[in-house]
Every structure is written in structure tokens, then in C-alpha cells.
Amino acid sequence: MKHPIHEFEFKLCTLADLDRILEMQEDALAHLASPNLLRKNTVEMLAECLQPPHVTIGAWYDGRLVAFSVLYVPTVEDERLDTALEGVSIDGLTAANYKLCIVDRAFRGNGLQYALGMRLIETAREMGVQILCVTASPDNSHSIANVERMGFTYNRTLGKYGFDRNLYYKLL
């Protein structure tokens, strides 16, 4: 169902939202057209994403969380995407990942992935992030279109998280 973007409330998610975030992830995974479109995040990882230095922004409709997106500041080497970039100098740049966006199936088509992504980009700028990276499945045309619309540049396709992923970056 289509709703004007002004009908959604955008705010930070907290640990109190973890159960709903897990519910949304499970529903998204259960209804994927292909299992390689989305990597399942652990409870621990999603809980970490709800605490600083990471930022998770949600979209609420009538008091219910219907979409969320994560800005992740890599704390372990395996989660760093900037080091996988080819032909891009990252020396001295503060990096973060646009890690994840899940929209409740009933609210897809309302521009929430884009709206949340743009809020995360602004948040990253405010935090002093200078390069923001994101991956998307080569088969996920909706996410690719949104990432490109947000101004990310395709860098290459790589094996990540057990799947092929397109790697994108954006200098802030």
C-alpha cells in the first residue's frame, strides 16, 4: 500500500527494537526470491548495530517499526568493505558501511530504502565518515537502483559473505 513519505516517522532504533528487527529479518529471508539476495545477520550482530558507534535508523508507521537501515562502523577486519575497493585510495579516510536495509513487505514501494539511506549518508557525514561502502547482490535490482540513486559508484563484484556481491562506494 502506498503512503506519502511524510506519514512515516524516522528516528533512531534502540535495543528495545531488536525483537521487531529480528522479526522483520526473518520475514524478509522467508520470502526472498533467491536466498543469495540477503545475508542473515546474527542476533549479536544486530544488537551491536543498535549501539554506538553504529547507527540504526527506523521508519515507523502508526507506531510500528516498518523499515530500518544500518550504518556500521567496522570493528573487525572482515566487516571492512573499504579495503576491498580496487583503484580507490582510502589512505587516511574514515570509513563506514551502509550495512543493511530491510523494509516490511507491506510497506515496500514507498521509497523507504532510499529515504533511510539518505538519512544514513547525512549521519555518516556528521560523524566524520569520509568514504561509505555498501554491497548488494548482483540479482537485487531494487537495492542496486536505490544505491545508485543515492550516488554510490560501482567498484567491482566480489565474493563476500559466501555470495557474489557488487561493491559500491561514496566519497562524502
Side-chain angles (χ1 to χ4, degrees):
M1 175 180 250
K2 292 278 190 182
H3 300 279
I5 202 74
H6 72 271
E7 290 184 2
F8 294 91
E9 179 184 7
F10 294 92
K11 61 183 180 179
L12 291 179
C13 294
T14 69
L15 283 170
D17 301 308
L18 182 58
D19 287 343
R20 175 65 179 138
I21 286 170
L22 291 166
E23 177 185 306
M24 290 173 62
Q25 177 181 248
E26 288 304 316
D27 184 69
L29 290 166
H31 293 92
L32 289 177
S34 171
N36 73 335
L37 294 179
L38 180 65
R39 169 179 72 146
K40 182 176 183 172
N41 287 277
T42 65
V43 173
E44 295 80 15
M45 175 55 80
L46 290 171
E48 180 183 343
C49 292
L50 291 165
Q51 301 171 72
H54 319 294
V55 176
T56 300
I57 299 176
W60 275 258
Y61 187 82
D62 280 343
R64 180 175 168 82
L65 180 63
V66 297
F68 69 94
S69 197
V70 176
L71 176 66
Y72 186 83
V73 179
T75 56
V76 295
E77 190 64 30
D78 190 48
E79 289 291 332
R80 287 193 66 180
L81 295 175
D82 61 311
T83 58
L85 291 167
E86 291 183 346
V88 178
S89 176
I90 60 168
D91 293 340
L93 296 182
T94 303
N97 301 344
Y98 171 26
K99 182 175 180 62
L100 174 66
C101 184
I102 295 180
V103 178
D104 184 297
R105 288 180 301 124
F107 289 87
R108 291 184 184 154
N110 285 292
L112 292 172
Q113 182 178 12
Y114 178 79
L116 287 165
M118 293 306 291
R119 282 168 173 78
L120 284 182
I121 289 168
E122 187 54 38
T123 299
R125 271 194 192 100
E126 291 169 2
M127 291 171 55
V129 172
Q130 296 162 305
I131 186 167
L132 192 57
C133 297
V134 62
T135 63
S137 167
D139 300 324
N140 192 337
S141 60
H142 295 292
S143 286
I144 289 171
N146 276 308
V147 163
E148 290 176 348
R149 185 172 164 219
M150 286 181 244
F152 284 85
T153 301
Y154 171 81
N155 183 260
R156 69 186 185 107
T157 301
L158 70 154
K160 189 80 172 157
Y161 317 121
F163 304 105
D164 281 344
R165 289 289 182 253
N166 288 350
L167 175 62
Y168 297 83
Y169 71 98
K170 180 176 180 72
L171 295 171
L172 305 181

